[in-house]
Amino acid sequence: MNQLQLAEQMAPAIRMIYAPDGRAVVSYSKEGDEDASLYTCESRWKEDFTAFCNGNTADKETVQVDGIGYFTVKREKNSEALSGKIAVVTGSAQGFGAHIAQYLCSMGARVVLADMNYDGVCARAADLSKTYGVATLPVLVNVSNEDSVREMIQKTVLSFGGLDIFINNAGIVRAGSLEEMTKENFELVTSVDYTAYFLCVKYAHEDTACMCAGLYGGHY
Ligand SMILES: NC(=O)c1ccc[n+]([C@@H]2O[C@H](COP(=O)([O-])OP(=O)(O)OC[C@H]3O[C@@H](n4cnc5c(N)ncnc54)[C@H](O)[C@@H]3O)[C@@H](O)[C@H]2O)c1
């Protein structure tokens, strides 16, 4: 397992040890703050961090794990229903996905806006952060590509410390009669609407027991 994969496993655990109700976010960086409040190592970070958190009510701490990097954990103080929760919405550059992302931000969630249209999610994410005062992260993804999905989940976990809500919204429609529909179109729809759902749930589930939702029957 490489350094980033180890960090990806540690970040959600750090978040839950610090705030068992999940109302906290963790950001990871390879290089970091020299003034980390706890210095520990890979073999005993969990014990050290658990002891460090006992009775600790600080809003923010940084822990340095030797050879892995720096984890900054911040407690969420706002009281909206989803404050401190972390959500991914695929296909959120426009349409339903963009509005679901907006709704989640309005409820206080940190939202990862993921789409093939990177310029679209960058603009949307910036707009939502400005309007609702919450952190957002635009991510380029092709949900039918396994490496791309794995990378989307890794970026989410290393930026925010976990994943609580996954909205499997990205999808396409290519409809037609048997005469009109080509095998290529059928396979394209299958890869984006069905295979992608499997890939997203597979990698989202590996990081956390998140809640996954699709927009219509075929997505479940
Ligand atoms: N609009 C409807 O009436 C309707 C009805 C039933 C179900 N749906 C489903 O709801 C979802 C959203 O619909 P919409 O109307 O907002 O769609 P839309 O076409 O407006 O938006 C879909 C978004 O998904 C993105 N996307 C497409 N393929 C992708 C891929 N491989 N990887 C990453 N991103 C990708 C697109 O770039 C786009 O931003 C779709 O799954 C659609 O099939 C829509």
Side-chain angles (χ1 to χ4, degrees), residues 93 115-125 138 140:
D115 204 292
M116 279 176 97
N117 174 358
Y118 187 58
D119 288 345
V121 275
C122 284
R124 190 79 192 167
L140 173 65

Side-chain angles (χ1 to χ4, degrees), residues 102-116:
Q102 178 179 5
Y103 180 69
L104 293 170
C105 285
S106 76
M107 303 272 281
R110 260 69 169 177
V111 180
V112 175
L113 291 97
D115 204 292
M116 279 176 97

